Amino acid sequence: MSKYIFVTGGVVSGLGKGITAASLGRLLKARGLKVAAQKLDPYINVDPGTMSPYQHGEVYVTEDGAETDLDLGHYERFIDEDLNQFSNLTTGKVYANVIGKERRGEYLGSTVQVIPHVTDEIKAFIYTVGKKTGADVVITEIGGTAGDIESQPFLEAIRQVGHEVGPGNSLYIHVTLVPYLRASGEHKSKPTQHSVKELQGMGITPDIIVLRCDEHIEDVGIFKKIAHFCNVKPDCVIENQTVGILYEAPLMLEAENFSKVVCRELGIDAPEPDLSEWRALVERIKHLKKQVKVGLIGKYVQLHDAYLSVSEALRHAGFALDARVDIEWIDSETITEDNYKDILSPLDGIIVPGGFGPRGIEGMVLSARYARENHVPYFGICLGMQISCIEFARDVIGWPEANSREFDESAAHRVIDFMPGQSEDIDKGGTLRLGAWPCDIRPGTTMERCYGAGHIAERHRHRYEFNNAYKADFEAAGMVISGLSPDGRLVETVELPGHEFFVGVQYHPEFKSRPNKAHPLFLGFIGACINNSQK
């Protein structure tokens, strides 16, 4: 039977519950345990797929095509396990399922209520992950903050799970803020005490309390006070200090005996964690010898979480190539004909990630033109690939009005158009081309050089695609279509010969990059950026 760990948050949002849960997953996996992770989000959207990146950051896509919370990216990068559709649940999805069952008569005429019907739906989801994966430990993060109205059904559900699986098979971890008051020069424990009291009012008593703080808590009395007032063992109060390197978090928590305490409380007999590879990774990050500057040209750059997996994948490649990747966050709306050379000339490479809508597109097109004309390494992801095709059609083939149907339905040359089966008339949520799809790579291309393989599978999230009516025109003008779906119907990748790296891919390779296993395309791109910086 799986053991269940629940991670909740208190005092304020944005404490890093996801990093705490992901770090614990890495530590338990390093002890030889099979770990699964999931996130329960209280918002009423069915999934984050239709939410603005400014509201929620990036939408992370799993292998089986679930559009999920960005914390799942942390889970996959830290634990190095592919998650699935059972790894993210929202209030919207819960109620959609419950109402669907009621309409089908599955409740046999019962009055449908939050308890037991909604909580049973949540519990079934929690239990399914353990059954589907055969995990020794299932880590479940509850979104939001203790005390939020929308979180109450989820907290009640995890309370019931703890009762049902019995003592020693469930564990509650509460992450709270311990603020530091500079005026008095001390940390304050009262917010934590109030947050725990709020959780206890829901019938949940935390077993472990993780204290988030920006500065080391010097006063050991804080730990004793929290243990005493919150009814936990003294060594079950764990400090979680802000670290300069994200991937140092598991090591910092293990220095506080985090996984040892968790295993003890759950009655798990596991060997000491083998963190040698992870320690080597962190040491390598601390002593990178090279440096490159990459311009990330996007429309949501004010919120870096909108491109979280892309920025991390860039850094992963830098770790592998002994280079610190400095990301220049450039709002594509600020790039014009008058200034694009001045903005882009200091860069060693240019990456244009995914996005939706017409805003800022012309600045991206100028960026692709600059990279092509000046042989600056260019990496286009999803929208970024489409941008490279639009620029090529305008400035090389000679169709100045070329565009995507998404941006100009009346364009004479819609080189990017709807995929088969897609249109403006279908629902927006969950209808994109999602999840892992295969791709055949053309021999002798940059793609083959990077992957070292002729057949790959990558995760997608898009509605528009290269218009096959223009394939012959593009190839005649010199663009190489280097990757196709196995049936030859969909253009997956394009590139320009004579460039060390000028590649556009319709999929999202960033979702499969790991800190100790950088994605091959990001390795190729950053390698080209390093060479460009040394010229």
Side-chain angles (χ1 to χ4, degrees), residues 367-386:
S367 301
R369 182 209 293 177
Y370 180 87
R372 179 182 56 78
E373 291 179 343
N374 295 277
H375 283 249
V376 174
Y378 176 89
F379 192 7
I381 296 175
C382 198
L383 172 62
M385 173 193 137
Q386 296 171 7

Side-chain angles (χ1 to χ4, degrees), residues 316-330:
H316 299 165
F319 301 160
L321 297 173
D322 197 23
R324 188 175 85 243
V325 178
D326 293 330
I327 300 175
E328 191 81 15
W329 300 87
I330 301 173

Side-chain angles (χ1 to χ4, degrees), residues 259-526:
S259 71
K260 180 179 180 180
V261 170
V262 167
C263 287
R264 183 193 70 201
E265 295 300 303
L266 285 173
I268 296 174
D269 184 14
E272 289 295 307
D274 180 5
L275 295 169
S276 54
E277 181 185 2
W278 204 260
R279 292 186 193 280
L281 167 69
V282 171
E283 282 303 305
R284 190 162 64 250
I285 295 171
K286 289 179 177 178
H287 300 95
L288 299 173
K289 297 181 177 64
K290 305 168 192 171
Q291 183 176 349
V292 292
K293 181 182 287 188
V294 173
L296 190 152
I297 317 295
K299 56 174 69 179
Y300 318 116
V301 294
Q302 288 84 358
L303 181 65
H304 294 181
D305 275 359
Y307 303 109
L308 182 60
S309 291
V310 173
S311 60
E312 288 305 305
L314 289 168
R315 295 184 179 106
H316 299 165
F319 301 160
L321 297 173
D322 197 23
R324 188 175 85 243
V325 178
D326 293 330
I327 300 175
E328 191 81 15
W329 300 87
I330 301 173
D331 186 340
S332 59
E333 285 192 283
T334 66
I335 300 174
T336 67
E337 282 280 2
D338 296 330
N339 65 18
Y340 78 98
K341 292 180 182 178
D342 292 334
I343 291 175
L344 303 174
S345 60
L347 304 174
D348 300 315
I350 293 170
I351 186 166
V352 178
F356 296 89
R359 184 175 60 83
I361 292 303
E362 295 307 316
M364 297 178 184
V365 171
L366 288 169
S367 301
R369 182 209 293 177
Y370 180 87
R372 179 182 56 78
E373 291 179 343
N374 295 277
H375 283 249
V376 174
Y378 176 89
F379 192 7
I381 296 175
C382 198
L383 172 62
M385 173 193 137
Q386 296 171 7
I387 290 295
S388 67
C389 293
I390 292 169
E391 189 279 327
F392 190 85
R394 290 180 183 180
D395 300 323
V396 177
I397 299 178
W399 299 330
E401 78 292 352
N403 218 322
S404 166
R405 177 190 284 268
E406 183 180 8
F407 314 136
D408 183 2
E409 289 189 7
S410 62
H413 296 283
R414 292 198 300 262
V415 296
I416 306 297
D417 211 330
F418 280 122
M419 295 176 57
Q422 296 282 348
S423 73
E424 287 289 352
D425 298 328
I426 64 176
D427 290 343
K428 297 295 185 288
T431 59
L432 301 169
R433 188 182 190 222
L434 294 165
W437 292 87
C439 170
D440 291 342
I441 296 176
R442 185 171 175 173
T445 58
T446 301
M447 283 285 294
E448 186 189 51
R449 171 172 61 83
C450 290
Y451 278 99
H455 307 279
I456 60 168
E458 293 279 5
R459 303 180 194 179
H460 293 65
R461 184 176 182 254
H462 62 106
R463 193 183 308 280
Y464 294 87
E465 176 62 68
F466 184 92
N467 188 339
N468 286 336
Y470 294 101
K471 281 171 70 173
D473 297 290
F474 272 73
E475 291 180 312
M479 180 170 274
V480 174
I481 295 174
S482 53
L484 291 167
S485 59
D487 61 8
R489 295 177 63 203
L490 300 176
V491 173
E492 296 280 19
T493 74
V494 298
E495 60 186 68
L496 292 180
H499 292 247
E500 183 176 2
F501 196 98
F502 192 106
V503 173
V505 298
Q506 188 57 72
Y507 51 81
H508 289 268
E510 68 270 22
F511 293 146
K512 298 181 79 167
S513 183
R514 305 288 182 261
N516 48 2
K517 287 190 288 188
H519 190 282
L521 283 182
F522 281 89
L523 283 172
F525 173 62
I526 293 300

